[in-house]
Amino acid sequence: KLFIEWINAIIATENCDLQQLTYIFCSDTYLHQLNLEYLAHDTLTDVITFPYAAPPIVEGDIFISIERTQENAEKFKTSTVHELARVMIHGVLHLCGYGDKKKEEQKVMRSKEEACISMF
């Protein structure tokens, strides 16, 4: 319930309208296959977001690798819950219109993630 309220608050703060949001928690293997098939990226990742509408409408699927999230929590010396919140909100921020391809976009995304996590 806390995650739902938090995500709804973030979406509202971004002046977006939540229509539908689905989280799919999966393995590294499954997410790697999606990464290859849909994005042509042969890398492991922690989160992939598939939007079904354009901002300000929030509608999409967010796939999260549980294995990668746990490993990243250890790597960055944070809790699994903190890292899970980060990837969950990362996907939401994508659906709200934020990118992360360019260096400047990555800086904005990281800043937004931290601001969102502080609201949790």
Side-chain angles (χ1 to χ4, degrees):
K1 184 175 176 172
L2 290 174
F3 276 102
I4 293 169
E5 291 172 359
W6 174 61
I7 290 165
N8 282 329
I10 299 301
I11 292 169
T13 299
E14 291 297 325
N15 297 312
C16 290
D17 181 34
L18 177 60
Q19 293 297 307
Q20 183 173 340
L21 181 59
T22 305
Y23 284 96
I24 300 94
F25 299 96
C26 57
S27 68
D28 271 349
T29 303
Y30 187 81
L31 200 55
H32 181 238
Q33 190 58 42
L34 288 179
N35 213 5
L36 284 168
E37 186 174 340
Y38 292 99
L39 303 174
H41 297 158
D42 190 9
T43 59
L44 293 175
T45 188
D46 50 4
V47 59
I48 296 177
T49 304
F50 291 98
Y52 301 125
I57 302 299
V58 172
E59 184 175 358
D61 293 335
I62 299 173
F63 288 80
I64 295 173
S65 166
I66 294 299
E67 294 162 275
R68 189 81 4 238
T69 300
Q70 291 170 331
E71 286 184 25
N72 284 344
E74 290 174 21
K75 178 181 175 180
F76 298 120
K77 297 183 180 9
T78 189
S79 72
T80 302
V81 172
H82 182 274
E83 187 61 16
L84 179 60
R86 187 190 67 75
V87 294
M88 288 177 75
I89 213 61
H90 181 92
V92 169
L93 290 170
H94 274 310
L95 294 174
C96 289
Y98 293 93
D100 61 2
K101 299 290 183 221
K102 299 175 186 170
K103 288 283 186 198
E104 189 57 38
E105 290 176 332
Q106 291 170 6
K107 285 182 188 177
V108 170
M109 179 66 84
R110 295 296 169 256
S111 175
K112 287 299 244 178
E113 286 172 3
E114 290 306 316
C116 292
I117 288 170
S118 72
M119 293 174 61
F120 185 67

